[in-house]
Amino acid sequence: MSASGISLPASPYAAVLAPLDGRLADLVALYEDLHRHPELGFQETRTAAEAARRLTALGYDVTTGIGGTGVTGVLRNGPGPVVLLRADMDALPVTERSGLAYASTVPGRMHACGHDVHVTCLLGAADLLATGRDRWSGTLVVLFQPAEETGSGARAMLDDGLYRKGLVPTPDVVLGQHVAPFGAGLIAYCPGACMAASDSLEITFHGTGGHGSRPETTVDPILMAAAFVQRVQSVVAREVAPKDQAVVTVGSFHAGDTANVIPDRAVLRLSVRSFDETVRTGVLAAIDRIARAEAAASGAPREPEIEARESFPVTVNEPGTLREVNEAFAQLLGPQQLFAYEPVAGSEDVGLLATAAGAPLYYWWLGGWDPEEFRTAFAAGRLADIPSNHSPRFVPVVRPTLTTGVQALTVAALDRLAAGGRTDG
């Protein structure tokens, strides 16, 4: 039994994991400090500095400022594969309503998606793997990424030469995890396409403004945009096959300032989710077609402006890597602690790090909610009562979330690295 209260089956990873109990107090303090001081995308200077400080003390070759605020640490430890572990650092523009003693101290900012958990767990794993380097061989890369929430952080690090300039060696596998609102101590997995591609669009419809009492002298962009909103809902219903999945949401509609003036433009913002590139291309083309057709049908003075704002790729887990790493998870935690889940419509940019390297990806979900609360809500059919990611009340329970998260990253890395020295624990 560990100090965290989790019974650990005997495993070949025990020796590397053994120091974790003695590190937990420091990791909890780190997590609470990160939670108090959330930073938005490309502003993660404080978080990045702490990651760099700790990695330097552990003996990693550290590079900072990649893609703005990204940090990497490289630990070369003899021949073998290159394994990349990734954590994202950015918070959200959300006002916290958790009531916790370590709640955010920054107005309008919160780690509402658990990236403070991700950073803490990766630093914990980096510590254990550096301390236990006599048990493995190869090269370990730990990467702290900015701006995941906008889908631009991984791309910024790649564009800054992450692999091209040799800032880190090109990985043979990319691994990571995301905390989620199910029971802490559990790990969830999904082979293949596990998270959706996401595209955010801004469409500006142009009309001819005028007095509300004389609509015949105008071209009303509100009517034009409203017709588009209704028509675009037919894309998924009539242009996407039932076996495929897609979501089209109009989340923002802005036009006009007063009741008796017809404005000269209307601005919409849309979110599109899909799991297949052919479906994605078809849906985006249909949105473009419908927007232009509605403008033409309304006699618009010019075509609408359609601007792509944010884009995430489909997150695809390589089934073989998933299966092999899950065997290691089951050996560590017990097979009853792992469960499969269906693909979700949320999005991630971690896949870019794998695709750019031509490497397989495994990205799993880490349970973060109080296990007893989760069991009670599940039994009552009230899982919707548990705050989800991005909620102002989403704050994972510290233990055993951090323990399991550190263990999972450590064991996943050890499973992919070459064995070195004794591994009998």
Side-chain angles (χ1 to χ4, degrees):
M1 180 77 73
S2 73
S4 63
I6 295 179
S7 296
L8 299 178
S11 85
Y13 313 110
V16 178
L17 295 173
L20 177 55
D21 284 345
R23 307 287 206 272
L24 275 176
D26 176 63
L27 290 175
V28 170
L30 169 64
Y31 165 69
E32 293 182 354
D33 180 70
L34 293 174
H35 192 83
R36 288 189 185 97
H37 301 94
E39 298 169 302
L40 298 182
F42 295 122
Q43 300 174 23
E44 309 96 336
T45 54
R46 187 179 185 276
T47 305
E50 180 62 13
R53 184 188 71 79
R54 287 176 175 252
L55 292 176
T56 300
L58 291 168
Y60 285 77
D61 293 330
V62 177
T63 304
T64 62
I66 307 173
T69 50
V71 176
T72 59
V74 178
L75 190 61
R76 293 175 174 84
N77 192 38
V82 179
V83 175
L84 188 151
L85 302 179
R86 176 268 202 175
D88 39 14
M89 300 185 291
D90 53 325
L92 284 160
V94 172
T95 298
E96 183 163 351
R97 293 203 297 270
S98 69
L100 292 173
Y102 56 88
S104 171
T105 60
V106 184
R109 303 286 185 267
M110 179 192 174
H111 268 297
C113 204
H115 295 186
D116 46 355
V117 172
H118 304 169
V119 171
T120 303
C121 289
L122 183 50
L123 286 170
D127 183 356
L128 295 183
L129 289 162
T131 302
R133 71 185 75 187
D134 61 327
R135 302 291 174 135
W136 57 270
S137 181
T139 298
L140 176 66
V141 178
V142 291
L143 184 148
F144 296 84
Q145 179 200 304
E148 182 277 332
E149 294 293 352
T150 60
S152 50
R155 173 55 59 196
M157 293 187 77
L158 291 167
D159 289 346
D160 208 11
L162 180 69
Y163 304 146
R164 176 173 45 83
K165 295 180 180 177
L167 302 180
V168 301
T170 302
D172 296 304
V173 65
V174 175
L175 304 166
Q177 63 188 3
H178 201 302
V179 67
F182 59 86
L186 300 174
I187 288 177
Y189 61 92
C190 176
C194 61
M195 298 182 74
S198 175
D199 293 277
S200 296
L201 306 174
E202 183 174 281
I203 302 178
T204 302
F205 289 95
H206 298 281
T208 303
H211 201 290
S213 68
R214 299 190 63 199
E216 76 280 5
T217 67
T218 72
V219 175
D220 189 345
I222 295 179
L223 182 60
M224 190 189 313
F228 167 82
V229 171
Q230 287 192 305
R231 177 74 179 185
V232 80
Q233 298 307 313
S234 70
V235 173
V236 174
R238 289 293 176 267
E239 299 190 38
V240 175
K243 66 181 179 61
D244 295 320
Q245 293 178 290
V247 178
V248 176
T249 297
V250 179
S252 175
F253 190 131
H254 288 278
D257 298 302
T258 190
N260 66 343
V261 176
I262 294 173
D264 59 7
R265 68 177 190 161
V267 181
L268 308 184
R269 290 186 176 178
L270 291 76
S271 175
V272 179
R273 309 275 174 158
S274 57
F275 291 91
D276 177 88
E277 185 59 30
T278 300
V279 173
R280 173 180 176 267
T281 300
V283 170
L284 292 175
I287 290 170
D288 184 279
R289 183 190 75 235
I290 292 169
R292 297 183 191 282
E294 291 293 351
S298 298
R302 58 190 174 105
E303 287 193 329
E305 298 169 18
I306 303 173
E307 178 186 358
R309 299 181 65 86
E310 296 174 2
S311 181
F312 294 79
V314 178
T315 303
V316 181
N317 280 329
E318 198 281 309
T321 303
L322 178 150
R323 182 180 63 255
E324 293 166 4
V325 173
N326 275 0
E327 290 173 0
F329 287 162
Q331 188 174 15
L332 172 73
L333 301 171
Q336 72 282 358
Q337 298 301 104
L338 276 68
F339 69 94
Y341 70 92
E342 295 297 317
V344 298
S347 300
E348 251 286 352
D349 66 352
V350 64
L352 292 172
L353 299 172
T355 301
L361 169 73
Y362 180 21
Y363 195 70
W364 61 89
W365 291 98
L366 172 71
W369 210 252
D370 179 85
E372 188 56 40
E373 285 187 27
F374 178 77
R375 281 191 290 268
T376 300
F378 182 80
R382 301 184 63 87
L383 287 179
D385 291 347
I386 296 178
S388 65
N389 299 73
H390 292 213
S391 163
R393 296 185 296 115
F394 179 75
V395 182
V397 62
V398 175
R399 292 186 173 96
T401 304
L402 295 183
T403 305
T404 307
V406 173
Q407 290 172 340
L409 288 171
T410 304
V411 166
L414 290 171
D415 183 74
R416 300 290 86 185
L417 291 161
R422 291 174 57 245
T423 57
D424 60 322

